[in-house]
PDB file of all heavy atoms in Angstrom:
ATOM      1  N   GLY A 626     -15.974  17.998  35.104  1.00 93.00           N
ATOM      2  CA  GLY A 626     -15.327  17.602  33.864  1.00 93.00           C
ATOM      3  C   GLY A 626     -15.872  16.322  33.263  1.00 93.00           C
ATOM      4  O   GLY A 626     -15.494  15.948  32.152  1.00 93.00           O
ATOM      5  N   THR A 627     -16.766  15.635  33.988  1.00 93.00           N
ATOM      6  CA  THR A 627     -17.364  14.407  33.466  1.00 93.00           C
ATOM      7  C   THR A 627     -18.314  14.751  32.325  1.00 93.00           C
ATOM      8  O   THR A 627     -19.159  15.627  32.448  1.00 93.00           O
ATOM      9  CB  THR A 627     -18.145  13.657  34.576  1.00 93.00           C
ATOM     10  OG1 THR A 627     -17.250  13.338  35.629  1.00 93.00           O
ATOM     11  CG2 THR A 627     -18.786  12.387  34.029  1.00 93.00           C
ATOM     12  N   ALA A 628     -18.163  14.053  31.208  1.00 93.00           N
ATOM     13  CA  ALA A 628     -19.062  14.257  30.066  1.00 93.00           C
ATOM     14  C   ALA A 628     -20.283  13.369  30.243  1.00 93.00           C
ATOM     15  O   ALA A 628     -20.163  12.194  30.589  1.00 93.00           O
ATOM     16  CB  ALA A 628     -18.356  13.925  28.762  1.00 93.00           C
ATOM     17  N   VAL A 629     -21.460  13.954  30.015  1.00 92.00           N
ATOM     18  CA  VAL A 629     -22.720  13.216  30.075  1.00 92.00           C
ATOM     19  C   VAL A 629     -23.317  13.286  28.677  1.00 92.00           C
ATOM     20  O   VAL A 629     -23.657  14.358  28.189  1.00 92.00           O
ATOM     21  CB  VAL A 629     -23.682  13.822  31.118  1.00 92.00           C
ATOM     22  CG1 VAL A 629     -24.961  13.016  31.195  1.00 92.00           C
ATOM     23  CG2 VAL A 629     -23.011  13.919  32.484  1.00 92.00           C
ATOM     24  N   ARG A 630     -23.433  12.140  28.038  1.00 90.00           N
ATOM     25  CA  ARG A 630     -23.902  12.096  26.648  1.00 90.00           C
ATOM     26  C   ARG A 630     -25.369  11.679  26.580  1.00 90.00           C
ATOM     27  O   ARG A 630     -25.869  11.002  27.460  1.00 90.00           O
ATOM     28  CB  ARG A 630     -23.061  11.112  25.850  1.00 90.00           C
ATOM     29  CG  ARG A 630     -21.578  11.442  25.955  1.00 90.00           C
ATOM     30  CD  ARG A 630     -20.753  10.895  24.830  1.00 90.00           C
ATOM     31  NE  ARG A 630     -19.333  11.140  25.018  1.00 90.00           N
ATOM     32  CZ  ARG A 630     -18.738  12.312  24.927  1.00 90.00           C
ATOM     33  NH1 ARG A 630     -19.427  13.377  24.670  1.00 90.00           N
ATOM     34  NH2 ARG A 630     -17.437  12.445  25.109  1.00 90.00           N
ATOM     35  N   ASN A 631     -26.018  12.104  25.509  1.00 88.00           N
ATOM     36  CA  ASN A 631     -27.398  11.720  25.222  1.00 88.00           C
ATOM     37  C   ASN A 631     -28.333  12.020  26.396  1.00 88.00           C
ATOM     38  O   ASN A 631     -29.006  11.139  26.916  1.00 88.00           O
ATOM     39  CB  ASN A 631     -27.455  10.228  24.848  1.00 88.00           C
ATOM     40  CG  ASN A 631     -28.746   9.869  24.145  1.00 88.00           C
ATOM     41  OD1 ASN A 631     -29.445  10.742  23.620  1.00 88.00           O
ATOM     42  ND2 ASN A 631     -29.067   8.598  24.134  1.00 88.00           N
ATOM     43  N   ILE A 632     -28.375  13.288  26.804  1.00 90.00           N
ATOM     44  CA  ILE A 632     -29.218  13.678  27.935  1.00 90.00           C
ATOM     45  C   ILE A 632     -30.694  13.603  27.567  1.00 90.00           C
ATOM     46  O   ILE A 632     -31.067  13.661  26.402  1.00 90.00           O
ATOM     47  CB  ILE A 632     -28.878  15.109  28.426  1.00 90.00           C
ATOM     48  CG1 ILE A 632     -29.151  16.152  27.337  1.00 90.00           C
ATOM     49  CG2 ILE A 632     -27.459  15.179  28.961  1.00 90.00           C
ATOM     50  CD1 ILE A 632     -29.126  17.593  27.816  1.00 90.00           C
ATOM     51  N   ARG A 633     -31.518  13.476  28.586  1.00 86.00           N
ATOM     52  CA  ARG A 633     -32.973  13.551  28.432  1.00 86.00           C
ATOM     53  C   ARG A 633     -33.458  14.744  29.240  1.00 86.00           C
ATOM     54  O   ARG A 633     -32.925  15.051  30.307  1.00 86.00           O
ATOM     55  CB  ARG A 633     -33.624  12.262  28.940  1.00 86.00           C
ATOM     56  CG  ARG A 633     -33.347  11.086  28.035  1.00 86.00           C
ATOM     57  CD  ARG A 633     -34.112   9.856  28.470  1.00 86.00           C
ATOM     58  NE  ARG A 633     -33.816   9.455  29.844  1.00 86.00           N
ATOM     59  CZ  ARG A 633     -32.891   8.589  30.186  1.00 86.00           C
ATOM     60  NH1 ARG A 633     -32.137   8.034  29.274  1.00 86.00           N
ATOM     61  NH2 ARG A 633     -32.698   8.259  31.437  1.00 86.00           N
ATOM     62  N   LEU A 634     -34.487  15.410  28.725  1.00 84.00           N
ATOM     63  CA  LEU A 634     -35.013  16.599  29.374  1.00 84.00           C
ATOM     64  C   LEU A 634     -36.233  16.262  30.212  1.00 84.00           C
ATOM     65  O   LEU A 634     -37.027  15.406  29.841  1.00 84.00           O
ATOM     66  CB  LEU A 634     -35.403  17.644  28.323  1.00 84.00           C
ATOM     67  CG  LEU A 634     -34.336  18.014  27.292  1.00 84.00           C
ATOM     68  CD1 LEU A 634     -34.904  19.010  26.291  1.00 84.00           C
ATOM     69  CD2 LEU A 634     -33.096  18.583  27.958  1.00 84.00           C
ATOM     70  N   ASP A 635     -36.391  16.961  31.333  1.00 83.00           N
ATOM     71  CA  ASP A 635     -37.612  16.865  32.130  1.00 83.00           C
ATOM     72  C   ASP A 635     -38.560  17.914  31.562  1.00 83.00           C
ATOM     73  O   ASP A 635     -38.286  19.109  31.629  1.00 83.00           O
ATOM     74  CB  ASP A 635     -37.297  17.158  33.599  1.00 83.00           C
ATOM     75  CG  ASP A 635     -38.503  17.047  34.495  1.00 83.00           C
ATOM     76  OD1 ASP A 635     -39.624  17.368  34.036  1.00 83.00           O
ATOM     77  OD2 ASP A 635     -38.338  16.658  35.664  1.00 83.00           O
ATOM     78  N   HIS A 636     -39.679  17.477  30.981  1.00 74.00           N
ATOM     79  CA  HIS A 636     -40.566  18.413  30.286  1.00 74.00           C
ATOM     80  C   HIS A 636     -41.470  19.198  31.216  1.00 74.00           C
ATOM     81  O   HIS A 636     -42.290  19.987  30.766  1.00 74.00           O
ATOM     82  CB  HIS A 636     -41.377  17.672  29.217  1.00 74.00           C
ATOM     83  CG  HIS A 636     -40.508  17.224  28.088  1.00 74.00           C
ATOM     84  ND1 HIS A 636     -39.947  18.104  27.204  1.00 74.00           N
ATOM     85  CD2 HIS A 636     -40.061  16.000  27.742  1.00 74.00           C
ATOM     86  CE1 HIS A 636     -39.199  17.444  26.345  1.00 74.00           C
ATOM     87  NE2 HIS A 636     -39.248  16.162  26.648  1.00 74.00           N
ATOM     88  N   GLU A 637     -41.305  19.006  32.531  1.00 78.00           N
ATOM     89  CA  GLU A 637     -42.093  19.776  33.486  1.00 78.00           C
ATOM     90  C   GLU A 637     -41.237  20.766  34.259  1.00 78.00           C
ATOM     91  O   GLU A 637     -41.763  21.701  34.840  1.00 78.00           O
ATOM     92  CB  GLU A 637     -42.818  18.824  34.437  1.00 78.00           C
ATOM     93  CG  GLU A 637     -43.852  17.969  33.713  1.00 78.00           C
ATOM     94  CD  GLU A 637     -44.502  16.953  34.634  1.00 78.00           C
ATOM     95  OE1 GLU A 637     -44.298  17.021  35.862  1.00 78.00           O
ATOM     96  OE2 GLU A 637     -45.216  16.096  34.103  1.00 78.00           O
ATOM     97  N   ASN A 638     -39.920  20.562  34.285  1.00 86.00           N
ATOM     98  CA  ASN A 638     -39.050  21.431  35.056  1.00 86.00           C
ATOM     99  C   ASN A 638     -37.814  21.782  34.223  1.00 86.00           C
ATOM    100  O   ASN A 638     -37.016  20.912  33.883  1.00 86.00           O
ATOM    101  CB  ASN A 638     -38.630  20.744  36.357  1.00 86.00           C
ATOM    102  CG  ASN A 638     -37.916  21.682  37.299  1.00 86.00           C
ATOM    103  OD1 ASN A 638     -37.228  22.608  36.883  1.00 86.00           O
ATOM    104  ND2 ASN A 638     -38.074  21.445  38.591  1.00 86.00           N
TER     105      ASN A 638
END
Side-chain angles (χ1 to χ4, degrees):
T627 301
V629 182
R630 305 202 184 289
N631 197 19
I632 63 168
R633 289 186 302 268
L634 307 177
D635 181 327
H636 291 290
E637 295 176 10
N638 189 329

